[in-house]
Amino acid sequence: MFRIRWLTRTSLVLALLALTVCLLPSGAPRPAHAGRPPAPLQVPHVGPFLNIWAEARDDREPAIAYNTQHDEYLVVWHQVQDANTSYILARRVAADGTLLNEFLVAGGQNLLYRNPAVAYNPDRDEYLVVYVREYSSTDYDIYVRRLSWDTGTMLSHYDLDVSQYLQHEPAVVYTPQGDYVVAYTNYAATNRAGVTLRRVDGTTGVPGVSLTISSSGAEQYRTTPALAYDVQANKILVAYVYMYKDGVATWHWDVMSVLQEPDLSSVFFIEEMVHQSSDFVSSLAVACWPGQNYLVTWGSGLLLGTQSIQARRVAANGVPQGPATGFTLASCTGSTACGDTRVAFAPKFRGFMVTWTFVGPPTGNGDIYGRLVPPGQDAPFG
C-alpha cells in the first residue's frame, strides 16, 4: 500500500485515477493465457501531486478524461461560490503535469450546478461534459455540453433529462460507434429510483434512445451508477447500488451490475449480484481489462471504525467471479474512515489501480491511498 498526501480537495494524481473507457494501447503487454499473472513490469511510481485548483472557495467532485490526440487531461469539478451559487469549472493538464488554461463550463448568479462527469471524443477531438442543475431540494435536472478540446468553447448544449423529481449522479463513456452513453440516478417518484442509460450523439450532442433499470416497488432505489466500456468485447458494464428494505426494518445496500450493448439495444438484460450486504455503500467505481474482466470497487460501512474498501471481479460476459463477498483492499478501524473509491486499468503495471480517501486522527484531514490489484486475482499486490 502506498499513500499520497492530500493537501487540497482538488489535488489529483492524474495517472489512472478515473478513466473508465477501457482501451488497450498498441504495444501494451498481452495477458498470459493461464496461470498466475506475471509480475509487474516495473515498480509502480506515484509522482508528486498537482494543485489543479487551490483557493479559498470550496471545490469538490473532480472528474477526469484523457485526451489521446494531445496527450493531456481535462479535469472538471464544481465550485461553491455561496449558498445559492455553484459553478462547473475545468482545467487542462498536460501529461507531464504542466497546468494549462482553465475555463468556466456552466455558471451564473443564483444557479446551482454540481455532479460533473466528462468523456473525450477522439473522433472529433472534443469533450462531452454532463452535469446537474439543482432547482430545489426535490428537483435536479441533467444537461450535456460539448466543448472544444483547447479553449472549452461550447459547441452545443442540450437537456438530457428534465423530468420531475431528482436526476443526478451521472457517469459517461464514449464508444467507437460514435456515441456517448450516459448513466444517472433517476427518481420516478419520491420513494423509488432507477438507473437510466441514454445515448448522446457524438457529432451533435443530441440525446437519443434511453432505457431505465427501474425499481417498481416503494422504497427501492437503484442509484450511483458507474460505467466501463470494453473495446474488445464492445460491451458496457453498468454497476450500481440497489438499496431496499428487507421486510419492514432492515435496509440493504447491494452492489449490482448489468452488461449492456453500446447502442442500448438490450431491452431484456440480466441483473447480476456483485455483493449482497446490509452495510451502507458510500461510493462505487468500475474499470476493465479489455476482453478479460472488470473490477468493481466500493466503499462499505457507515460508522467510523466499520468502513472498508471492497472489490470484486466481473467476467467479460458479465458474470461475477471469485468469492461472493469479494475481497478487502483496506479496513478502517477505530476513529478512521474511508470511502470515495476510484479504479482504472493500468496495462503498464499489469494491474488495476484502486484509490480511496482515508480520514483519521490526529488532524482529521483526508489522505489518498492506493493499491494495485492484478487482473484475475482476488487480492491486491503485497
Side-chain angles (χ1 to χ4, degrees):
M1 182 185 296
F2 51 84
R3 185 174 71 170
I4 308 162
R5 185 69 179 136
W6 191 26
L7 295 185
T8 73
R9 289 187 178 93
T10 52
S11 296
L12 297 178
V13 178
L14 292 179
L16 309 171
L17 183 59
L19 300 177
T20 54
V21 178
C22 192
L23 305 176
L24 186 63
S26 60
R30 297 293 170 180
H33 292 290
R36 184 180 180 86
L41 294 182
Q42 63 186 70
V43 176
H45 172 70
V46 179
F49 64 84
L50 304 171
N51 282 328
I52 306 285
W53 197 263
E55 59 169 323
R57 292 186 177 90
D58 194 6
D59 298 281
R60 296 174 178 267
E61 298 180 323
I64 186 171
Y66 176 63
N67 184 318
T68 54
Q69 290 199 29
H70 302 282
D71 193 24
E72 65 180 47
Y73 302 88
L74 185 70
V75 182
V76 298
W77 68 96
H78 100 249
Q79 182 183 85
V80 178
Q81 303 292 310
D82 54 50
N84 301 309
T85 306
S86 59
Y87 297 162
I88 303 297
L89 301 177
R91 187 163 200 175
R92 296 169 55 219
V93 181
D96 64 1
T98 301
L99 300 179
L100 304 174
N101 60 302
E102 72 279 352
F103 46 84
L104 177 71
V105 177
Q109 190 64 34
N110 296 322
L111 300 177
L112 291 172
Y113 296 102
R114 60 182 73 250
N115 284 162
V118 59
Y120 175 66
N121 179 343
D123 298 318
R124 296 184 60 83
D125 195 16
E126 63 188 43
Y127 296 97
L128 185 78
V129 178
V130 188
Y131 56 91
V132 172
R133 181 176 172 186
E134 179 182 342
Y135 289 90
S136 71
S137 61
T138 59
D139 185 11
Y140 292 5
D141 294 335
I142 293 187
Y143 301 88
V144 294
R145 181 167 293 191
R146 292 169 49 236
L147 302 176
S148 65
W149 74 272
D150 50 355
T151 62
T153 301
M154 184 179 70
L155 305 175
S156 66
H157 175 267
Y158 291 97
D159 305 344
L160 186 72
D161 196 330
V162 293
S163 305
Q164 191 178 11
Y165 304 116
L166 304 178
Q167 293 79 43
H168 64 137
E169 300 176 324
V172 59
V173 293
Y174 179 76
T175 73
Q177 288 72 36
D179 287 334
Y180 302 92
V181 174
V182 180
Y184 54 94
T185 300
N186 190 352
Y187 278 75
T190 57
N191 63 349
R192 65 180 183 270
V195 169
T196 294
L197 305 174
R198 190 163 191 185
R199 293 174 62 191
V200 174
D201 188 278
T203 301
T204 64
V206 175
V209 65
S210 68
L211 63 85
T212 298
I213 307 168
S214 61
S215 299
S216 57
E219 294 188 318
Q220 294 182 9
Y221 306 89
R222 285 169 169 82
T223 68
T224 325
L227 300 176
Y229 175 67
D230 186 339
V231 66
Q232 291 191 14
N234 191 32
K235 302 286 186 181
I236 294 175
L237 188 77
V238 187
Y240 50 92
V241 178
Y242 177 36
M243 184 175 68
Y244 62 96
K245 273 189 177 180
D246 182 3
V248 296
T250 304
W251 281 100
H252 286 259
W253 287 267
D254 296 341
V255 178
M256 312 295 292
S257 67
V258 164
L259 199 63
Q260 181 58 244
E261 303 290 338
D263 61 2
L264 305 186
S265 60
S266 298
V267 178
F268 302 101
F269 42 77
I270 299 175
E271 190 175 49
E272 298 282 0
M273 176 78 70
V274 178
H275 179 68
Q276 186 174 27
S277 175
S278 58
D279 288 335
F280 175 76
V281 174
S282 61
S283 58
L284 187 67
V286 60
C288 69
W289 178 13
Q292 301 296 321
N293 64 266
Y294 302 87
L295 187 69
V296 181
T297 67
W298 64 92
S300 180
L302 178 61
L303 302 176
L304 288 178
T306 67
Q307 297 176 345
S308 61
I309 303 299
Q310 307 285 331
R312 190 177 182 188
R313 292 181 297 116
V314 175
N317 64 1
V319 178
Q321 303 292 297
T325 56
F327 58 93
T328 301
L329 291 162
S331 296
C332 296
T333 59
S335 58
T336 63
C338 51
D340 196 24
T341 182
R342 299 290 186 270
V343 60
F345 181 64
K348 186 175 182 180
F349 304 122
R350 295 190 176 121
F352 291 94
M353 167 76 84
V354 182
T355 65
W356 64 91
T357 301
F358 173 87
V359 180
T363 64
N365 292 330
D367 295 330
I368 301 297
Y369 280 68
R371 298 193 83 169
L372 284 169
V373 178
Q377 292 195 24
D378 299 308
F381 281 120

